[in-house]
C-alpha cells in the first residue's frame, strides 16, 4: 500500500493533471447513466462544537462525510470526446473519500476541509493507496469549474481573448480556482474579494510571488498576471465595480447568504459556485440564477440553496443539464445567453457540490504519477 502525504500529492497532481483527470471523471456522470460512474449515497455525521454552537450565525454546521464511488468502463465507447487514458478507462476504479468541514480550523492553523481518499484494487479488494486529499479536493473542485468555464466562454460572441476573473474567498479553494481557470483561459486581471481583507492581501502576495509556477506549455495564460487586487467584501462600491468588469466569477465561501446582488455581474459573465452544499446555503441570489443558463456537476446540486428557485411549477426554464453531457458533446451551453432575441438569459452559472467519482479519478491520477516517479511511502499491512 502506498501512502501519499499532502506534499506528495502536490508534487504528483499539478493543475494540468487535475483538469485531465476531472474531465474524465465528470464525463462519466451522464443524465442517461451510461458514463460508467457509480456513486452511492454518501453518509454524513454532524459535528457541533461544545455547547451546541456551530460558530457564527453566517456559517453552516460542520460535517464529516463518507463518500464511496466506483468507475466501471462502459461496454461501448461513450467517452469518445474525452482524452483517453488506458488505466483510467480500461479498468474498474474503486475508492472512498472521508472529508470533513470544520469552520474553526483556520483559527487552529489547520485546513477547513481536511480530507483523505482510500483507493481499492478492484481485482483483489485490497487497499492500494491512502491519499491525503485536502489539496486534492481543492484541485479537483477547481478543475471542474475550469472545465465549465472553458465550455462557457468557447465561441462566446464577444470574441474576447483576455478575461478578468473575480474570486470570492481567499482560502485554498480560491487559490486553486485562480490557478485552474488561468490554465484554460487567458486571464490578465484578478480581483480577490474576502470578508477579511488581510487574507485577501495574503493570497494576492502569494500569487504575485509564485505567479510563474503554474504556467506550462498547455496553459492558456502564458504570461505573469501582475494586475491583482484585494478587496474587502464590505467594500460595496469596490465589489460592484469589480463585478461590472468581471468576465468570470468564482464563489468559494461557506456563507449562508448571497455575496452580492444578482444584477451586479455584467451581461455575458460566467459564474462558478462551489462553496454552498446544503439547502440553507446560498452564495448567489435568485435574481442572478434566473439570469443564467444553469449547469451542474450532479443532480444533488439542485438541492442546494442557490438553486431553490429552480424547483416548483413556476421555476425558470433555464436549466441546461450536467457538465458531463457538455463534455461528451451531447449538450451545449451558451445558446440562450447568446440569442439576441432572448432578453431573460444573459449569463451562465455552473453549480457544483462535488462528487466522490472526482476524488477517485483524481487520487488514481496522483497515485499513478507517484508510482512512476517513486514518490510516497510504501507499507505492508
Amino acid at each position: 500500500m502506498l501512502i501519499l502525504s499532502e506534499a506528495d500529492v502536490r508534487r504528483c497532481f499539478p493543475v494540468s493533471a487535475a483538469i485531465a483527470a476531472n474531465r474524465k471523471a465528470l464525463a462519466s456522470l451522464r443524465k442517461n447513466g451510461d458514463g460508467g460512474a457509480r456513486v452511492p449515497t454518501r453518509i454524513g455525521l454532524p459535528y457541533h462544537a461544545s455547547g451546541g454552537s456551530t460558530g457564527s450565525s453566517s456559517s453552516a454546521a460542520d460535517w464529516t462525510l463518507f463518500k464511496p464511488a466506483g468507475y466501471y468502463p462502459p461496454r461501448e465507447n461513450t467517452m469518445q470526446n474525452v482524452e483517453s487514458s488506458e488505466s483510467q478507462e480500461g479498468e474498474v476504479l474503486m475508492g472512498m473519500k472521508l472529508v470533513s468541514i470544520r469552520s474553526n480550523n483556520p483559527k487552529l492553523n489547520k485546513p477547513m476541509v481536511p480530507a483523505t481518499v482510500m483507493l481499492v484494487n478492484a481485482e483483489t479488494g485490497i487497499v492500494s493507496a491512502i491519499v491525503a486529499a485536502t489539496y486534492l479536493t481543492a484541485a479537483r473542485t477547481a478543475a471542474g469549474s475550469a472545465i465549465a468555464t472553458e465550455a462557457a466562454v468557447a465561441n462566446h460572441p464577444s470574441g474576447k481573448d483576455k478575461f478578468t476573473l473575480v474570486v470570492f474567498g481567499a482560502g485554498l479553494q480560491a487559490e486553486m480556482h485562480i490557478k485552474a481557470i488561468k490554465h484554460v483561459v487567458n486571464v490578465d486581471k484578478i480581483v480577490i474579494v474576502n470578508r477579511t481583507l488581510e487574507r485577501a492581501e495574503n493570497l494576492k502576495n502569494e500569487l504575485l510571488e509564485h505567479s510563474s509556477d503554474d504556467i506550462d506549455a498547455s496553459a492558456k495564460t502564458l504570461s505573469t498576471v501582475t494586475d491583482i487586487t484585494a478587496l474587502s467584501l464590505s467594500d460595496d462600491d469596490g465589489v460592484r465595480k469589480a463585478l461590472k468588469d468581471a468576465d468570470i466569477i468564482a464563489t468559494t465561501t461557506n456563507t449562508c447568504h448571497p455575496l452580492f446582488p444578482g444584477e451586479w455581474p455584467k451581461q455575458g459573465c460566467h459564474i462558478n459556485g462551489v462553496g454552498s452544499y446544503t439547502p440553507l446555503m446560498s452564495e448567489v441570489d435568485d435574481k442572478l440564477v434566473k439570469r443564467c443558463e444553469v449547469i451542474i456537476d450532479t443532480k444533488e446540486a439542485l438541492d442546494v440553496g442557490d438553486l431553490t428557485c429552480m424547483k416548483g411549477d413556476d421555476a425558470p426554464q433555464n436549466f441546461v443539464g450536467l457538465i458531463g453531457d457538455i463534455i461528451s458533446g451531447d449538450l451545449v451551453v451558451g445558446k440562450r445567453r447568446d440569442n439576441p432575441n432572448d432578453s431573460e438569459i444573459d449569463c451562465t452559472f455552473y453549480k457544483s457540490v462535488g462528487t466522490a467519482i472526482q476524488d477517485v479519478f483524481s487520487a488514481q491520477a496522483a497515485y499513478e504519477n507517484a508510482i512512476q516517479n517513486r514518490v510516497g511511502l510504501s507499507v505492508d499491512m
Side-chain angles (χ1 to χ4, degrees), residues 57-353:
S57 59
S58 63
S59 298
D62 290 339
W63 285 85
T64 292
L65 305 173
F66 302 83
K67 304 170 65 177
Y71 172 72
Y72 299 80
R75 292 183 179 180
E76 296 182 2
N77 184 11
T78 60
M79 301 179 73
Q80 62 268 26
N81 292 322
V82 184
E83 297 174 10
S84 64
S85 167
E86 182 179 349
S87 63
Q88 290 192 351
E89 287 190 26
E91 65 183 58
V92 175
L93 303 180
M94 290 184 179
M96 184 182 73
K97 180 181 188 179
L98 191 156
V99 59
S100 298
I101 298 93
R102 293 292 186 270
S103 54
N104 196 51
N105 272 9
K107 298 177 183 178
L108 305 175
N109 198 30
K110 296 182 182 298
M112 189 169 71
V113 188
T116 305
V117 174
M118 175 182 70
L119 293 176
V120 176
N121 182 300
E123 182 178 1
T124 65
I126 297 173
V127 174
S128 57
I130 300 293
V131 182
T134 300
Y135 163 82
L136 183 139
T137 298
R140 63 83 152 147
T141 303
S145 295
I147 292 164
T149 300
E150 185 178 39
V153 304
N155 302 316
H156 194 290
S158 68
K160 293 194 67 169
D161 60 357
K162 294 181 180 180
F163 298 88
T164 296
L165 169 63
V166 175
V167 176
F168 286 81
L172 182 58
Q173 278 286 7
E175 175 188 350
M176 293 310 301
H177 269 74
I178 291 170
K179 292 179 178 180
I181 291 171
K182 280 172 54 183
H183 195 85
V184 298
V185 298
N186 185 17
V187 174
D188 67 342
K189 181 178 181 180
I190 298 169
V191 180
I192 302 166
V193 183
N194 196 59
R195 186 165 54 100
T196 306
L197 180 59
E198 182 182 5
R199 290 194 69 190
E201 291 282 2
N202 289 343
L203 178 55
K204 168 188 170 180
N205 293 334
E206 183 177 342
L207 291 169
L208 288 171
E209 184 178 353
H210 302 285
S211 58
S212 61
D213 291 357
D214 296 290
I215 295 178
D216 61 36
S218 63
K220 295 295 179 66
T221 303
L222 294 175
S223 59
T224 300
V225 181
T226 58
D227 190 350
I228 305 178
T229 302
L231 292 175
S232 169
L233 182 61
S234 61
D235 181 359
D236 283 354
D237 290 341
V239 173
R240 181 197 292 261
K241 183 179 185 305
L243 293 181
K244 288 298 182 185
D245 294 334
D247 302 298
I248 303 162
I249 299 170
T251 60
T252 70
T253 74
N254 70 335
T255 183
C256 287
H257 308 291
L259 295 161
F260 52 85
E263 64 269 21
W264 283 8
K266 71 177 182 181
Q267 180 180 357
C269 184
H270 172 71
I271 303 96
N272 300 295
V274 306
S276 58
Y277 53 90
T278 76
L280 300 179
M281 300 175 72
S282 298
E283 292 187 294
V284 300
D285 63 17
D286 291 354
K287 183 173 290 187
L288 178 61
V289 172
K290 291 177 180 179
R291 290 179 56 190
C292 296
E293 284 184 286
V294 176
I295 54 179
I296 57 176
D297 61 345
T298 65
K299 60 181 176 31
E300 286 76 17
L302 292 171
D303 296 327
V304 175
D306 306 76
L307 299 184
T308 300
C309 67
M310 303 290 291
K311 296 184 176 181
D313 295 336
D314 58 347
Q317 302 301 306
N318 58 340
F319 178 60
V320 176
L322 294 172
I323 184 68
D325 289 311
I326 293 173
I327 294 170
S328 68
D330 293 332
L331 290 176
V332 176
V333 64
K335 284 185 176 181
R336 288 193 64 184
R337 175 200 63 194
D338 302 337
N339 183 352
N341 298 319
D342 191 339
S343 60
E344 295 182 358
I345 303 298
D346 62 0
C347 295
T348 52
F349 178 46
Y350 172 62
K351 176 57 200 164
S352 70
V353 293

Side-chain angles (χ1 to χ4, degrees), residues 9-57:
V9 176
R10 283 178 178 267
R11 178 178 172 185
C12 296
F13 197 57
V15 169
S16 56
I19 292 172
N22 283 276
R23 201 181 298 276
K24 303 183 191 87
L26 291 168
S28 72
L29 294 165
R30 309 285 183 80
K31 180 180 179 181
N32 60 13
D34 66 355
R38 293 190 188 178
V39 187
T41 303
R42 68 188 185 184
I43 299 172
L45 298 175
Y47 173 77
H48 298 278
S50 58
S53 172
T54 59
S56 68
S57 59

